[in-house]
Amino acid sequence: MSDAGEFVDYTLQMESTWERAEELSERLGEALKVYGASVGAVRGTIRDALKRYKNLSHDDITALSSELWEEPVFERRLAAVVLLQTKVGLLINTDLTRIEGFIRNAGTRELVDPLATDVLGPLLARLDGLARERADRVLDRWATDPDAELRRAAALAVASHTLDKNQRGA
């Protein structure tokens, strides 16, 4: 595991409580393990990691998100989502493949929905030309995929992007 990945994992474990872990386990079921860290702790951990590991490139960010996602632990995966939200400006249309994998094995809509609205929506808003055409083809494929969560993510991403575009035009 990378230094940044170890920092995030260790910090999330240290920010955990058994009470929160029990509540999360009841809510999420058995699809994912939980540490018991709060959403605020996850956000703060990513903020601290980005301060500690400055100047992470696109490849560093996407590798770290994959590293965090690798283990089926809710807080680690939420940290990957927060990392992508925070660094969405670095993402490109080819990152849709990685995000598709995340959505397919998310284990909960509590991860799918923010990926769709807070990562995919802003990413779509930035794309134009050939990159946007390719992204639209990917989303069209997702919209008819047998995986219900992938179809949901496609719809949420398009709706999020459309809403944002309309708000900016108003």
Side-chain angles (χ1 to χ4, degrees):
M1 185 179 282
S2 70
D3 288 346
E6 285 181 9
F7 172 81
V8 171
D9 186 67
Y10 177 80
T11 304
L12 291 175
Q13 289 185 54
M14 293 300 103
E15 291 287 337
S16 300
T17 66
W18 68 268
E19 298 96 343
R20 203 172 292 112
E22 194 172 272
E23 185 272 324
L24 261 175
S25 289
E26 287 177 22
R27 193 173 77 228
L28 297 174
E30 296 183 18
L32 298 169
K33 297 175 201 166
V34 297
Y35 288 158
S38 69
V39 172
V42 173
R43 290 190 179 287
T45 298
I46 291 301
R47 182 194 63 236
D48 293 347
L50 291 172
K51 284 180 184 176
R52 178 177 251 191
Y53 302 96
K54 293 177 173 27
N55 304 318
L56 294 176
S57 69
H58 166 270
D59 291 349
D60 297 328
I61 294 295
T62 56
L64 179 56
S65 69
S66 291
E67 185 178 339
L68 292 170
W69 199 274
E70 191 174 313
E71 293 295 322
V73 176
F74 177 74
E75 291 88 350
R76 284 176 57 122
R77 289 184 173 185
L78 183 58
V81 173
V82 171
L83 176 65
L84 294 176
Q85 288 171 333
T86 304
K87 293 297 188 175
V88 71
L90 294 178
L91 301 180
I92 56 178
N93 70 308
T94 58
D95 293 320
L96 291 173
T97 303
R98 180 182 317 269
I99 295 168
E100 178 178 349
F102 289 175
I103 292 167
R104 285 188 185 278
N105 68 17
T108 178
R109 286 190 172 170
E110 289 186 43
L111 297 170
V112 172
D113 291 0
L115 273 171
T117 58
D118 301 334
V119 178
L120 291 172
L123 173 59
L124 291 174
R126 286 190 12 264
L127 297 177
D128 57 10
L130 187 57
R132 179 56 195 251
E133 288 176 29
R134 289 178 177 162
D136 286 342
R137 282 196 300 270
V138 169
L139 289 175
D140 288 346
R141 178 177 54 77
W142 290 8
T144 60
D145 195 274
D147 185 315
E149 295 304 323
L150 201 57
R151 291 192 311 270
R152 177 182 175 82
L156 286 172
V158 170
S160 170
H161 166 64
T162 302
L163 179 63
D164 181 55
K165 192 165 106 179
N166 289 341
Q167 287 175 342
R168 281 183 285 139

